[in-house]
């Protein structure tokens, strides 16, 4: 049986393309209610959420959504009480996906950076890029590695995604949304 999946990234970044501060925490400048509501609705609709181990620990899974947690502390793929734990070095993506989301559906990718990098290589169906315009996070953690001298938009375009028209998620707070899609 052929399963249908979409691989959908979600991030909010500063003008200097950061997702977190130098200490790896989410700065207040990147916290916005409209963006949070957009993100939560997407996670509610997803079959599976794929997160890095640090994000998993920092964000308790109150809604008991199905998670796939990346960590080098596991050998391949392991089912635990709090979700599926996955090390891509020991188990390929198609195997992990078939185990963790056998029914298909939307696979939400909320990062962090290494996770965003991994799926940039594997291929996004869409990437939902919110920007807190007018904010900077000096020394912060950027959305993707390899962003020196370039932008996330250029990387997404280089990986074959095209953008929809941008719009305001929250105009008063100057938080915009641009959805990038693969066709
Ligand atoms: N602004 C945004 O949209 C946004 C999005 C995402 C995250 N954030 C923020 O960013 C911070 C966390 O992000 P982060 O990038 O520091 O950490 P993270 O991605 O949440 O976790 C990193 C960990 O995930 C595991 N991992 C990641 N890629 C892997 C791979 N290819 N293979 C095996 N394991 C892998 C490793 O775990 P082990 O150490 O166990 O091996 C690594 O240390 C938080 O503050 C979060 O709120 C913001």
């Amino acid at each position: 049986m052929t399963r249908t999946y979409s691989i959908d990234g979600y991030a909010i970044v500063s003008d200097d393309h950061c997702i977190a501060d130098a200490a790896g925490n989410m700065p207040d400048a990147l916290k916005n209610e409209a963006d949070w509501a957009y993100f939560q609705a997407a996670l509610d609709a997803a079959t599976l959420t794929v997160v890095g181990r640090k994000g998993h620990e920092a964000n308790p899974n109150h809604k008991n959504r199905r998670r796939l947690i990346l960590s080098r502390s596991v050998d391949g793929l392991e089912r635990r009480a709090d979700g599926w734990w996955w090390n891509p070095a020991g188990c390929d993506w198609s195997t992990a996906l078939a185990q963790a989301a056998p029914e298909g559906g939307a696979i939400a990718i909320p990062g962090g950076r290494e996770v965003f990098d991994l799926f940039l290589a594997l291929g996004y169906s869409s990437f939902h890029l919110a920007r807190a315009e007018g904010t900077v996070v000096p020394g912060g953690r950027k959305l993707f590695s390899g962003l020196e001298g370039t932008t996330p938009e250029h990387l997404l375009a280089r990986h074959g995604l095209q953008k929809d028209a941008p719009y305001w998620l929250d105009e008063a707070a100057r938080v915009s949304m641009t959805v990038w899609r693969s066709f």
Side-chain angles (χ1 to χ4, degrees), residues 10-13 18-20 24-26 30 51-56 58-59 70-73 85-89 110-116 118 141:
Y10 297 88
I12 181 166
V13 299
C18 291
I19 56 168
N25 300 312
M26 184 95 166
L30 296 181
V51 290
R53 192 258 312 160
K54 292 179 187 167
H56 173 65
N59 299 288
L70 275 99
S71 174
R72 295 186 176 85
S73 68
W85 284 68
W86 177 43
N87 183 351
R113 184 173 66 197
E114 274 189 278
V115 183
F116 287 133
L118 177 71
R141 195 161 176 72

Side-chain angles (χ1 to χ4, degrees), residues 82 88 97 100 110 137:
D82 59 350
L97 184 60
V137 185

Side-chain angles (χ1 to χ4, degrees), residues 64-168:
N64 206 22
R65 296 179 179 119
R66 199 186 319 165
R67 280 187 180 175
L68 178 66
I69 302 127
L70 275 99
S71 174
R72 295 186 176 85
S73 68
V74 293
D75 287 335
L77 186 69
E78 207 178 291
R79 180 127 204 208
R80 296 186 185 169
D82 59 350
W84 290 89
W85 284 68
W86 177 43
N87 183 351
C91 169
D92 65 27
W93 168 234
S94 58
T95 303
L97 184 60
Q99 288 288 313
E103 71 272 55
I107 312 299
I109 316 291
R113 184 173 66 197
E114 274 189 278
V115 183
F116 287 133
D117 281 348
L118 177 71
F119 283 92
L120 193 60
L122 289 170
Y124 288 107
S125 312
S126 71
F127 199 99
H128 300 243
L129 183 61
R131 197 174 278 279
E133 299 194 7
T135 65
V136 289
V137 185
R141 195 161 176 72
K142 302 215 188 262
L143 172 61
F144 298 118
S145 57
L147 275 179
E148 288 71 30
T150 187
T151 65
E153 287 82 354
H154 276 113
L155 278 190
L156 291 166
R158 203 189 300 156
H159 283 80
L161 286 94
Q162 297 173 24
K163 65 175 181 176
D164 290 354
Y167 64 94
W168 292 114

